Amino acid sequence: MRSIRNALFQVSRQTQTSLTRTTSIVKKLTYIIIFGVTALIVLGSLRSFKSDSIFDIESFAELPVQVGGRIKPLDSVARNTLLLLSGRQKVITADGETLSPIEWFMDLTMRPEIADNYPIFKIEFPDDLGLAGLAKPGERYYSFNDLLPFSEELRRLHSEINPEPKKRSPYENQIADINEGLMRYHRVMHSLHPIGSAERLDNLDEEYQSYTLMIAPGMAELRKQQAGEPYDAARLNTFITFADDYLKLSQTAMLRVVPPPAPIDPMEDWKNIGLELLDVMKGDPLSPYVTSYASLTMSYRANDAAAFNQEASELRERFKADFPDAIGRVHFERMFNAFQPFYISMQLYVWVFLIVCISWLRWSQPLGTAAFWVIVVAFAIHTFGLLSRMYIQERYGVFVTNLYSSAVFVGWGAVLLGALIEKFYKNGIGAAMASLVGFCTLIVAHHLSMSGDTLEMMRAVLDSNFWLATHVTVITFGYSAMFLAGALALMFVIFGVFSRKFNKDTARSLSAMVYGITCFATLFSLVGTILGGIWADQSWGRFWGWDPKENGALMIVVMGAIFLHARWGGICRERGLMSLAICGNIITAWSWFGTNLLGVGLHSYGFTDSGFYWLLIFWTSQCIFIATALLPWRFWRSEFGQANYRKQRKDILTAAEGA
Amino acid sequence: MKPLFKFFSSLKLTVVLLTFSMMLIFFGTLDQVQYGIWHTQKLYFESFIAVWAYPEQAPAYNQLFWLRIPMPGGYLIGGLLFINLLAAHFTRFKMTWKKSGIFLVHFGLVLLLVSELMTDLLSKESQMPVDEGGRSNYSQSHRANELVLIDRSHPDYDSVHAIPATQLKAGKEIEVPNTPLSIRVVKYYPNAEIGRANNNATAPQSPADRGAAVKMGIFVTPQPVSYADDAINTATAYVEVLSPEGSLGTWLVSNVIDERFPPQTVQAGDQSWEIALRFQRQYYPFEVELIDFSHDKYPGTEIPYNYSSEVMVHHQDSTKNQKALIYMNHPLRYEGLTFYQASFANQDRTSIFQVVRNPGWLLPYVSVLLMGLGMCVQFGMHFFKFLGKRRQV
């Protein structure tokens, strides 16, 4: 008897160990696959760090330029310009070759005759322009040369549109965008030196040399002419042609690439190339930066990589010597541009969401653990991006400086809270919703970045690190929490109505999460709003001014208060509370974007046209979810819903019997 | 009595009131597009009933022009919430440590409501422009106006007799205190356009028969009042000045006919007064001297980076003299007033300060501390309870 029992016991142990062995293999395999994909996503973006060109593009990309009150690498300018014109950070030439922004910028400024053929002007609806012969079927990108024959017509159309940008129709906006794009293109092209025929560009050094030699005699002739004495007309004419040309250049050239001579005051204005050339007339020596750009252009045009690389590294060395404090930041900014941390974390959030979805179907334990760690990685990269922006802007502790960075930060906050939930509950819900909100907000940020520089300087009123770091950060974190609570509520509704597996326990834990996060959201919104009041009191003398953005923040606080009081008073049960949490999404979106659309008040810093359209879509979707949440219990397919339905019927029956 | 008490202390009422307040804030924000912040504030938040009308600029106005949404105004909601909160605390709440957080939050909220009411009722905002090197001992409103008669006969000081513009109603006769004069308001326009008639054109009839209106051929076209936040309404009036001996004539006064014009004088016997309609002034027992104003921009841009004013305050009591630097987020608090760097003019040679008297300015700070602390306590307790539960599981 005993031996049989022993034998049975052994058999069962063996099956058990073989089972654990297979599970452990599955586990290991899942971990390996997930790790591999994650590594692929992260490393994939590192490819773009080094180009395989014979030219030292990296050094060129790090040459300094003063834009928006800050010293930036040319790389950033190239990217922002391209984003404004094309809405993306690459150029695909007619031959199908892909250029990076800085490669495009080099061609634009140094080989304009080639760059004019690159299709970089994005025209969403070319047929609507009414320009016969422009639109190519299925093509949204057009080159300068494509647009050139229509320049007269475009200018005429531009003169007819509504001068008030906010009142323009989509058609008028498109006309304005093309014209402004052409203008910007032209101005950026003229940034490094005068533009002209190929011959002129090939001989820039001679031009500068003859100009500098011309100044003294030219001025002498001019003085003679003004004094009414006899003068050499030909000589004077050459001089005046130069002067006229450089005057025009000083009005056209977009970028301030010429730093003042040493010793350098960081608050001093840099000059654009035209201004520097003009100022030589006053007796200033011509800045070596100007001649260096000329040499760069000539060697690039002559395809002389050795000379180009030599000159580029010399220029960089000079910049290093002139601006020892700025060089690190400029270098870092280029690396940051190439690394694109927010783009990586966006991809990782999609990946996390996928893993979690699979985990709900199979292998829930290993996949759940893996999802948590991937979200940690994504969050770390997201955090790195935020810290990098602080370093570049020299504003430590300030996460949010404009609408773009608020979007990035809202995602970050939601992921942080979601990951914490995941750590406590370990059921995938926190990770899924964190990745969803993270992804959506980064998409929003991506679209906001189309409007140009996202690292701009703060206007004087807003320029207070303390308040930016406290009020703005806290209130934006409040948005994060509101959205996360809303997302969890959406999950409750979707699973509750459609999934059979959703039971009472899940319902209880989900509503506990929503409650906890709403508490957080209310606390942060309240504290943030009040801090804002104190800031306003410090800067304008009124604690509360009923400004749209302030009102928006207050609405979030009130929403939180409604939720909490409704719960404490037992006024709403689970699904009522979930509807309120989804309402929170509507309110938060209003506070975040809607108030900016109004275009009134002190905070209206980011007017976006298409924003209104997207806001409406978002609101409608949330209303549909609320309506779904309020469906009668009998339509709820889940165990939780059916239990409630039975209870409801029972209640009705007892009530009827009692009567 | 009991059901009434129950009604006022119920949580349902709280939720309903909060929902209404959300609605009020939302529509009160929307209407700012039309009425500007200042006027909307009066319509929605400093009122008992507010009515939102479908705006003309919105799409489908022709179909929806009749749409009106009435809702309780800020005072009504605030007042009811106040009662609701007090009633709830008297009936339902018991003082326990568990509830201490909620108590703090609610007490902070009460304080905040009170401070907001105090601000509405007591605070005064005005502006003080000072030129570099110059001094000023008054600030002026940019909305309220006053009619003044100034007696400049004394060598050391001027006597100013002021009548607020709110008193100026057509046909009304007002005695000017401490003078033998009284005025009769012929016409008053809260906003108007002032123009000069061409010599050959037939100028519109003007009731004025004295002063600048006659000399310069000025005529007035009434305009609707503008509520835009940066708009300045040109208040204008025709006033007849009466002495015991009879009418002295009718003058045109307007807040655009200011120091740039020669003063208009009223002569009665051997006494004379300057007459003017101007922005309401508030005089102080001290002078603010602007030593230097600076306006810095980020290099290579037009983005302002700093505005600051170096000032010296000269008080009649010279022990109270003070030197200060007023700049963004760093106002000067002096004698119950606060001076903020608000604006500038005149190619950066004039600095404009916002002068605010708000006796309740400290209250929000206290209430903030209470509410923040209360929430931390309350949610902290929840959170630790939650953690404890999880540990047991």
Side-chain angles (χ1 to χ4, degrees):
Chain A
M1 201 58 196
R2 170 164 253 192
S3 64
I4 295 173
R5 199 188 276 164
N6 266 349
L8 271 175
F9 181 67
Q10 275 200 335
V11 170
S12 83
R13 231 185 29 191
Q14 264 168 9
T15 26
Q16 224 167 20
T17 39
S18 82
L19 256 177
T20 25
R21 201 174 296 141
T22 26
T23 23
S24 82
I25 289 172
V26 168
K27 223 176 183 176
K28 266 185 197 151
L29 206 65
T30 354
Y31 287 151
I32 289 170
I33 291 173
I34 288 174
F35 177 79
V37 175
T38 310
L40 219 67
I41 293 174
V42 176
L43 298 177
S45 75
L46 296 178
R47 270 178 313 154
S48 57
F49 269 71
K50 200 113 185 91
S51 80
D52 43 10
S53 165
I54 46 167
F55 293 103
D56 184 3
I57 292 179
E58 285 76 34
S59 291
F60 183 82
E62 280 179 31
L63 293 180
V65 46
Q66 189 187 47
V67 181
R70 204 157 62 75
I71 302 177
K72 287 185 202 177
L74 279 178
D75 185 63
S76 294
V77 175
R79 278 170 197 273
N80 287 330
T81 313
L82 201 54
L83 261 184
L84 283 172
L85 301 179
S86 289
R88 56 184 186 185
Q89 294 199 359
K90 62 181 176 198
V91 175
I92 299 175
T93 65
D95 317 326
E97 196 188 343
T98 305
L99 299 180
S100 69
I102 193 68
E103 288 171 323
W104 163 74
F105 180 86
M106 285 166 76
D107 280 346
L108 174 69
T109 48
M110 302 184 195
R111 296 194 302 189
E113 65 277 15
I114 294 175
D116 281 348
N117 288 317
Y118 293 151
I120 56 139
F121 292 95
K122 184 177 183 184
I123 306 177
E124 203 71 60
F125 306 105
D127 302 301
D128 297 359
L129 289 173
L131 302 175
L134 170 70
K136 298 179 209 164
E139 187 52 80
R140 288 192 304 165
Y141 294 94
Y142 293 83
S143 72
F144 178 77
N145 281 343
D146 291 335
L147 293 171
L148 190 60
F150 307 98
S151 54
E152 261 322 293
E153 187 63 11
L154 278 169
R155 217 169 297 144
R156 190 186 62 76
L157 289 173
H158 189 233
S159 66
E160 287 169 1
I161 64 173
N162 197 330
E164 184 76 38
K166 283 182 192 171
K167 291 181 182 154
R168 286 180 189 154
S169 66
Y171 161 79
E172 289 179 318
N173 267 329
Q174 185 161 300
I175 298 278
D177 285 348
I178 297 172
N179 272 284
E180 279 153 24
L182 282 170
M183 181 58 119
R184 182 173 291 268
Y185 181 87
H186 183 72
R187 293 191 58 195
V188 173
M189 178 192 278
H190 283 75
S191 288
L192 302 186
H193 41 69
I195 296 289
S197 61
E199 198 192 345
R200 184 175 184 186
L201 291 176
D202 287 334
N203 298 293
L204 279 169
D205 58 345
E206 282 172 32
E207 174 176 330
Y208 292 161
Q209 214 163 24
S210 56
Y211 167 63
T212 37
L213 290 176
M214 196 65 225
I215 289 173
M219 290 298 270
E221 296 303 327
L222 190 65
R223 252 174 247 125
K224 277 191 217 157
Q225 185 210 27
Q226 264 160 14
E229 291 164 21
Y231 62 95
D232 183 342
R235 202 183 257 182
L236 183 64
N237 254 343
T238 335
F239 176 65
I240 287 187
T241 318
F242 270 125
D244 266 353
D245 198 49
Y246 293 153
L247 182 67
K248 246 184 253 154
L249 183 65
S250 72
Q251 291 152 354
T252 313
M254 181 97 175
L255 302 179
R256 295 170 183 270
V257 289
V258 188
I264 285 157
D265 169 10
M267 290 308 286
E268 204 173 319
D269 289 0
W270 289 24
K271 290 177 191 166
N272 71 26
I273 217 95
L275 206 59
E276 174 66 23
L277 284 165
L278 271 186
D279 282 354
V280 177
M281 275 186 218
K282 292 186 198 155
D284 300 348
L286 186 61
S287 161
Y289 284 85
V290 178
T291 41
S292 292
Y293 276 118
S295 322
L296 279 178
T297 302
M298 290 186 318
S299 45
Y300 186 64
R301 293 180 66 83
N303 218 7
D304 182 352
F308 181 92
N309 299 348
Q310 169 79 15
E311 191 65 50
S313 72
E314 267 173 32
L315 237 178
R316 238 166 69 87
E317 288 306 316
R318 189 177 314 130
F319 174 58
K320 241 187 239 178
D322 287 351
F323 296 87
D325 304 332
I327 185 74
R329 202 161 269 116
V330 168
H331 172 70
F332 185 83
E333 185 168 345
R334 187 183 74 77
M335 301 306 270
F336 173 76
N337 287 344
F339 184 50
Q340 300 195 334
F342 300 129
Y343 187 59
I344 300 178
S345 29
M346 194 157 92
Q347 288 169 307
L348 287 177
Y349 290 139
V350 176
W351 177 223
V352 171
F353 193 76
L354 262 175
I355 299 174
V356 174
C357 286
I358 299 170
S359 84
W360 286 333
L361 302 173
R362 291 211 59 174
W363 309 304
S364 64
Q365 195 273 322
L367 281 179
T369 314
F372 177 73
W373 286 107
V374 177
I375 212 163
V376 168
V377 171
F379 180 73
I381 295 174
H382 203 147
T383 311
F384 169 75
L386 282 169
L387 295 177
S388 305
R389 283 176 57 91
M390 280 180 197
Y391 170 66
I392 292 169
Q393 282 190 305
E394 292 182 76
R395 282 186 184 282
Y396 302 102
V398 176
F399 290 93
V400 179
T401 54
N402 51 20
L403 207 53
Y404 166 83
S405 48
S406 75
V408 173
F409 185 71
V410 166
W412 183 84
V415 172
L416 176 65
L417 290 174
L420 283 177
I421 290 184
E422 185 61 41
K423 192 161 165 34
F424 283 127
Y425 286 90
K426 297 198 172 62
N427 56 5
I429 292 176
M433 290 304 106
S435 58
L436 182 74
V437 179
F439 174 74
C440 292
T441 48
L442 285 179
I443 283 280
V444 169
H446 172 72
H447 283 277
L448 289 171
S449 73
M450 300 291 174
S451 55
D453 188 10
T454 63
L455 285 158
E456 70 238 308
M457 288 298 183
M458 304 297 290
R459 300 190 160 266
V461 193
L462 302 174
D463 186 27
S464 154
N465 263 353
F466 175 72
W467 291 113
L468 283 172
T470 52
H471 158 61
V472 185
T473 309
V474 171
I475 209 147
T476 319
F477 199 69
Y479 294 170
S480 308
M482 266 329 244
F483 277 130
L484 186 68
L488 290 166
L490 288 183
M491 182 131 167
F492 185 99
V493 172
I494 293 171
F495 280 170
V497 175
F498 298 109
S499 157
R500 289 203 189 279
K501 274 205 218 155
F502 189 77
N503 57 22
K504 215 169 168 186
D505 289 336
T506 333
R508 192 177 297 150
S509 69
L510 245 179
S511 65
M513 288 180 208
V514 173
Y515 169 61
I517 299 290
T518 308
C519 286
F520 250 111
T522 313
L523 172 66
F524 275 81
S525 308
L526 180 82
V527 172
T529 307
I530 290 173
L531 285 171
I534 296 178
W535 187 8
D537 185 59
Q538 301 272 317
S539 48
W540 297 295
R542 60 190 89 106
F543 182 80
W544 193 259
W546 300 106
D547 163 279
K549 203 78 181 173
E550 293 173 351
N551 289 353
L554 184 61
M555 281 168 76
I556 296 184
V557 179
V558 174
M559 188 70 232
I562 291 177
F563 181 97
L564 296 177
H565 286 93
R567 188 179 184 276
W568 292 330
I571 296 165
C572 290
R573 298 298 306 268
E574 273 123 344
R575 63 171 178 171
L577 290 174
M578 294 305 126
S579 311
L580 285 178
I582 300 174
C583 246
N585 276 346
I586 294 181
I587 303 288
T588 314
W590 165 256
S591 169
W592 189 15
F593 281 103
T595 47
N596 291 359
L597 295 171
L598 294 176
V600 270
L602 304 155
H603 292 79
S604 55
Y605 45 70
F607 187 86
T608 40
D609 249 354
S610 56
F612 187 66
Y613 173 72
W614 284 107
L615 190 68
L616 276 186
I617 291 183
F618 180 73
W619 280 358
T620 320
S621 69
Q622 301 305 301
C623 288
I624 292 172
F625 281 117
I626 293 175
T628 317
L630 299 179
L631 277 178
W633 285 119
R634 68 196 155 95
F635 294 114
W636 287 54
R637 290 182 56 189
S638 63
E639 208 183 299
F640 167 76
Q642 288 304 314
N644 271 306
Y645 179 49
R646 281 194 297 277
K647 188 168 171 283
Q648 194 183 30
R649 283 191 25 192
K650 212 165 123 192
D651 286 352
I652 294 171
L653 276 176
T654 15
E657 272 168 18
Chain B
M1 196 59 203
K2 215 175 171 194
L4 198 73
F5 215 70
K6 208 172 166 195
F7 169 78
F8 273 114
S9 66
S10 77
L11 260 173
K12 272 198 182 113
L13 180 68
T14 316
V15 171
V16 169
L17 286 174
L18 287 174
T19 311
F20 270 126
S21 70
M22 192 133 88
M23 190 169 143
L24 180 79
I25 301 168
F26 179 73
F27 287 109
T29 311
L30 275 191
D31 255 4
Q32 294 187 357
V33 178
Q34 223 166 343
Y35 298 116
I37 292 179
W38 189 76
H39 193 60
T40 314
Q41 191 176 334
K42 298 263 171 275
L43 287 180
Y44 282 78
F45 308 117
E46 296 174 13
S47 70
F48 288 90
I49 296 286
V51 181
W52 180 77
Y54 197 78
E56 262 177 71
Q57 306 90 328
Y61 175 70
N62 289 334
Q63 286 81 47
L64 290 169
F65 64 92
W66 46 267
L67 188 63
R68 298 274 181 290
I69 303 179
M71 60 197 94
Y75 283 160
L76 191 55
I77 293 179
L80 284 175
L81 269 176
F82 191 78
I83 295 171
N84 177 227
L85 191 58
L86 289 187
H89 275 271
F90 275 119
T91 53
R92 284 188 290 109
F93 279 82
K94 289 195 184 67
M95 259 300 205
T96 56
W97 278 112
K98 252 177 87 182
K99 291 265 159 92
S100 57
I102 293 183
F103 267 99
L104 285 174
V105 173
H106 285 168
F107 185 59
L109 184 70
V110 167
L111 216 55
L112 200 64
L113 287 175
V114 169
S115 87
E116 190 53 26
L117 188 71
M118 266 177 82
T119 307
D120 281 357
L121 300 178
L122 301 177
S123 84
K124 286 205 168 57
E125 288 184 17
S126 54
Q127 296 198 319
M128 177 188 277
V130 196
D131 296 332
E132 263 177 343
R135 291 179 177 203
S136 173
N137 68 341
Y138 66 87
S139 60
Q140 60 189 29
S141 161
H142 73 290
R143 285 185 219 279
N145 293 277
E146 60 186 5
L147 179 74
V148 287
L149 285 146
I150 308 169
D151 177 3
R152 294 204 194 271
S153 56
H154 201 278
D156 292 340
Y157 58 86
D158 300 333
S159 318
V160 179
H161 310 282
I163 300 161
T166 43
Q167 306 261 331
L168 304 180
K169 300 211 169 72
K172 195 172 168 185
E173 218 175 288
I174 304 163
E175 273 184 36
V176 184
N178 307 324
T179 68
L181 306 177
S182 61
I183 57 142
R184 198 175 65 79
V185 182
V186 181
K187 283 264 168 58
Y188 177 73
Y189 310 107
N191 191 18
E193 208 176 276
I194 306 268
R196 285 187 71 176
N198 286 333
N199 288 336
N200 30 10
T202 44
Q205 273 293 311
S206 158
D209 55 9
R210 293 282 193 286
V214 183
K215 278 180 217 152
M216 302 168 70
I218 296 174
F219 67 92
V220 176
T221 327
Q223 296 288 323
V225 177
S226 164
Y227 296 116
D229 293 312
D230 47 355
I232 289 175
N233 288 309
T234 307
T236 303
Y238 288 109
V239 286
E240 188 180 2
V241 183
L242 311 165
S243 74
E245 287 80 42
S247 171
L248 297 171
T250 303
W251 277 263
L252 169 71
V253 285
S254 165
N255 62 15
V256 287
I257 307 180
D258 54 13
E259 288 88 352
R260 292 167 296 176
F261 293 80
Q264 308 198 66
T265 34
V266 175
Q267 190 82 33
D270 52 354
Q271 255 189 311
S272 73
W273 292 268
E274 276 177 39
I275 186 169
L277 185 71
R278 66 182 191 191
F279 289 113
Q280 206 161 55
R281 283 185 189 180
Q282 170 80 45
Y283 286 93
Y284 303 110
F286 54 82
E287 288 182 323
V288 176
E289 181 190 5
L290 178 63
I291 299 167
D292 183 37
F293 173 70
S294 36
H295 172 195
D296 307 320
K297 295 168 190 165
Y298 285 108
T301 66
E302 288 299 309
I303 306 174
Y305 154 76
N306 170 48
Y307 308 107
S308 63
S309 298
E310 196 187 336
V311 296
M312 177 75 206
V313 189
H314 304 272
H315 200 279
Q316 283 171 359
D317 170 3
S318 61
T319 54
K320 291 182 178 168
N321 283 3
Q322 191 181 338
K323 206 168 171 164
L325 184 68
I326 301 175
Y327 58 105
M328 279 299 157
N329 302 321
H330 291 81
L332 163 68
R333 297 198 192 267
Y334 184 78
E335 298 274 288
L337 298 164
T338 317
F339 293 79
Y340 301 88
Q341 183 67 56
S343 182
F344 57 96
N346 220 350
Q347 278 104 43
D348 296 353
R349 282 197 303 275
T350 303
S351 180
I352 302 174
F353 302 112
Q354 178 93 344
V355 186
V356 179
R357 181 189 294 279
N358 182 8
W361 73 274
L362 260 175
L363 280 185
Y365 289 76
V366 179
S367 106
V368 166
L369 277 177
L370 290 176
M371 288 176 89
L373 194 71
M375 278 211 171
C376 288
V377 168
Q378 197 62 30
F379 294 150
M381 282 194 300
H382 279 295
F383 188 63
F384 284 114
K385 215 171 87 189
F386 166 80
L387 280 188
K389 257 193 210 160
R390 287 205 68 78
R391 218 162 277 141
Q392 279 169 18
V393 172

